[in-house]
Amino acid sequence: MASSTNIKVVCRFRPPNALELREGGDIVVAFDENLQTVQMKNSQAVSGPEKDGFTFDRVFPMGTKQHEVFDYGVKDIVKDVLDGYNGTVFAYGQTGSGKTFTMMGADIDSSDLKGIIPRITEQIFKSIVESDSHLEYVVKVSYLEIYLERIRDLLAPQNDNLQVHEEKSRGVYVKNLSDYYVSSAREVYEIMRQGGAARVVTSTNMNAESSRSHSIFLITIQQRNTETGAQKSGNLYLVDLAGSEKVGKTGASGQTLEEAKKINKSLSALGMVINALTDSKVKHIPYRDSKLTRILQESLGGNSRTTLIINCSPSQYNESETLSTLRFGIRAKSIKNTARVNAELSPLELKGLLSKAQLANTRHLSYIQSLEAELAIWRAGGHVEPSEWTSADKPTTGAAAAKKATSSPTLSTTRSMTPVNPILEGLRSEIIIDSRPQTPTVVGLDKDEREEFLRRENELSDQLAERESLLNAAEKLTKELREELAYLKEQEAAASKENKSMSTQLNELRLQVERLDYDNKEGIITIDILKEQNQDAKSELEELKKVITDLRSTQRDASAEDKEKRKQEKMALMMAKFDAQGTFSEKDEQLRQLLAKLDTIDTADALSTLSVDDIVAARRQLTESHSLVRETVDRLRQSQEENEMVTRRRDELEARFLSLEADYEELLEKTIHDEETSNADIVESMAEFKNKLEMQYAAKRDANISEVADLKQQLELKSNEIRTLNASIDSLKSVNEELKV
């Protein structure tokens, strides 16, 4: 059976933070003894009934433990979900008010710091363990976030821009949202860590990690009774809303500012839904104005047991935001939800309901027949006594009814006008397999029209998602093309600048090349002049070599004649020393005369003609000649030795002369070289200078030619690159124009 209850609203205040203490934030809230009412002290904006305070189901002051919030505000919802109801717990408040701390906690492994979601998980599995043995449970979880009005699967981040659908059997759900079957609290913790790591957070002036998206942790519990076959299912939505914020306090800019705009827009849509639900004059509830309110459609005025936790700051620094949050909670507290068990009846229960319906149907048919018979009598002009009138608690007997029926000619016509029995309709509503009540939707539509409307809405939602995906892809491509175009423009500007610089360098190089050509021409002229001077120097050198050769040959001839003359003079002098008295020549003459005389006479007459004195004299002369010869031979040998000594001395003197002559020639050449060097006429220096000048000029010319070739090649490459970039820019401009169209 459905039960109508108000949303449970609890209010939690966090301790002042460092920013509030630094800004002089005094405590501006006060609590009553029952911890149900909170008053704003010294607030000029509070007037009327608000001066008496804001009353909620429970107010948790600063320093409240996590388990206290869970035990009072959430624990009962877990029991309802296990019994087949839908449940919702969501936290609302300004940024930095402690919503994520309340829902997730600072540390899910800490018994004191873990938040509501870990405690709910533990409570679910603890209740399953303690349940009856004939009950089977299946638990699965999903995790999503709404970022910039786009639904993203946190367990599969690649699934972006998911769409909200609604069906009669399932109600409102997110299409293609991944879910994971779990069997313990630890598995749920791992999924929470995985999804929490993918959630979008950033740092603001209000807190170090500000949630930039609404996160929804969905736990689905399916229960099956193995004895009766009955099934129940409950969905538990655990919502951590992003905080409303003032840009002046958070200092948001850029992407953070865009996130703040979307957050405030969706929270404004949530406020409009709550205002419409609490205003009896409003007929249309704007659930479809935001993805958040569309998902929470059944949680606000629908099929759900809902607890709202509003988180506030007690400091004067955030007094206006706290007052706005309290007013939001008061409006939400008056919303009524109609929660109903999501059950599928067992065959036995269906048979019992069928038997009951058949019995009621038989009784009502008998009553209808009695009424029709009585009506026929009245129409025929007859009269029925009041004691015989047919009533629901005292129908007529079957015979009387038959009698009346036979006497009534209009029975068949009146049966077609029988109204629908409300009791039968109630039974029919009880045996409907899908017992989920209708979620609030567009009014004024019958059943078939509503189903067609939901089907068409789902199709349009899918088409919208496809168009949004295409639009996002086009926007992304446009952004990339703009960035690429900007990059190409920068490259073009840089290329143009570099081109100008290279043009300047090229002009300078051209001037240098012209200057080098001029220097080259001057160098060629100088080389020609040097060649002529070199040729003159060579001819002059040849002449000098000839003169030196002639001088050397003349010197050698003169020295040879001088040597021969000196030799003859020495021999004459030596012979003069040998025969100083003329004795050798005289003796030689006498011996020659004697030998001539002997040659002229015959042998027979020799003894007769020669006297003893002649023979003795000849013998004496011969002896003297022999001694003179020996003496002469000794002197000659001595003279030869002296001659050899003189020859060696001469050779030494000649060698020394040659060395002196070489030294002289070297000294002469050196002197000539020095003179030529001092007069810039030396041939070797000219040749070396010429060679060096030619080598330097050739190297410089080759370097300049290669540098000019490299510069021309680089200039050609840059020109090709500029033409390519211009073509790319033209194509990108055309693509951009097409995208704009």
Side-chain angles (χ1 to χ4, degrees), residues 234-245:
N235 295 323
L236 180 57
Y237 290 87
L238 303 173
V239 186
D240 180 14
L241 298 176
S244 61
E245 56 185 63

Side-chain angles (χ1 to χ4, degrees), residues 243-312:
S244 61
E245 56 185 63
K246 289 185 177 180
V247 178
K249 286 186 177 181
T250 59
S253 60
Q255 180 67 17
T256 307
L257 180 59
E258 294 299 322
E259 295 168 351
K261 292 178 181 178
K262 294 293 184 180
I263 291 170
N264 291 336
K265 181 179 178 181
S266 62
L267 292 177
S268 297
L270 178 61
M272 295 298 293
V273 168
I274 291 177
N275 289 336
L277 289 171
T278 56
D279 189 352
S280 59
K281 297 180 181 180
V282 177
K283 301 300 181 181
H284 171 66
I285 312 299
Y287 290 112
R288 290 172 172 81
D289 289 354
S290 170
K291 298 286 182 67
L292 174 64
T293 55
R294 186 78 170 109
I295 294 175
L296 297 179
Q297 180 170 329
E298 292 189 350
S299 303
L300 301 172
N303 177 28
S304 178
R305 297 284 177 84
T306 303
T307 295
L308 169 62
I309 303 174
I310 58 173
N311 297 80
C312 303

Side-chain angles (χ1 to χ4, degrees), residues 13-73:
F13 286 87
R14 61 162 174 78
N17 56 27
L19 175 62
E20 294 169 343
L21 295 175
R22 185 172 65 249
E23 296 293 335
D26 297 331
I27 303 299
V28 294
V29 293
F31 313 102
D32 66 344
E33 295 179 356
N34 297 327
L35 294 180
Q36 290 183 337
T37 303
V38 57
Q39 291 181 335
M40 301 292 294
K41 299 185 298 184
N42 302 325
S43 178
Q44 301 296 329
V46 176
S47 62
E50 294 180 351
K51 289 186 177 181
D52 297 331
F54 298 88
T55 301
F56 303 100
D57 293 285
R58 185 66 179 272
V59 177
F60 297 103
M62 293 79 71
T64 303
K65 302 297 182 181
Q66 295 277 56
H67 68 88
E68 297 179 16
V69 180
F70 171 76
D71 292 340
Y72 181 83

Side-chain angles (χ1 to χ4, degrees), residues 458-501:
N458 294 336
E459 291 178 356
L460 292 175
S461 178
D462 292 338
Q463 293 178 8
L464 180 62
E466 293 178 0
R467 296 295 177 86
E468 286 180 352
S469 300
L470 293 175
L471 180 61
N472 291 331
E475 288 178 352
K476 184 178 180 181
L477 179 60
T478 304
K479 183 179 179 181
E480 292 177 354
L481 290 175
R482 285 176 179 174
E483 292 178 354
E484 187 174 359
L485 181 61
Y487 174 75
L488 290 175
K489 286 182 178 179
E490 292 178 359
Q491 292 292 323
E492 182 185 11
S496 299
K497 185 177 180 181
E498 187 176 358
N499 190 15
K500 290 180 180 179
S501 176

Side-chain angles (χ1 to χ4, degrees), residues 644-700:
E644 290 177 357
M645 185 181 298
V646 169
T647 303
R648 288 196 299 273
R649 181 64 177 172
R650 185 194 64 188
D651 293 336
E652 291 177 358
L653 290 174
E654 287 180 354
R656 185 176 179 184
F657 173 76
L658 291 174
S659 64
L660 290 174
E661 187 179 12
D663 293 339
Y664 171 75
E665 290 178 357
E666 183 178 357
L667 181 61
L668 181 62
E669 291 178 358
K670 185 176 181 181
T671 303
I672 295 172
H673 178 269
D674 292 338
E675 291 178 356
E676 290 177 351
T677 301
S678 59
N679 296 326
D681 294 331
I682 180 169
V683 177
E684 289 82 356
S685 298
M686 292 296 294
E688 184 177 2
F689 174 73
K690 181 189 71 174
N691 293 331
K692 287 183 179 180
L693 185 61
E694 289 178 351
M695 290 175 64
Q696 289 179 358
Y697 171 75
K700 192 171 183 181

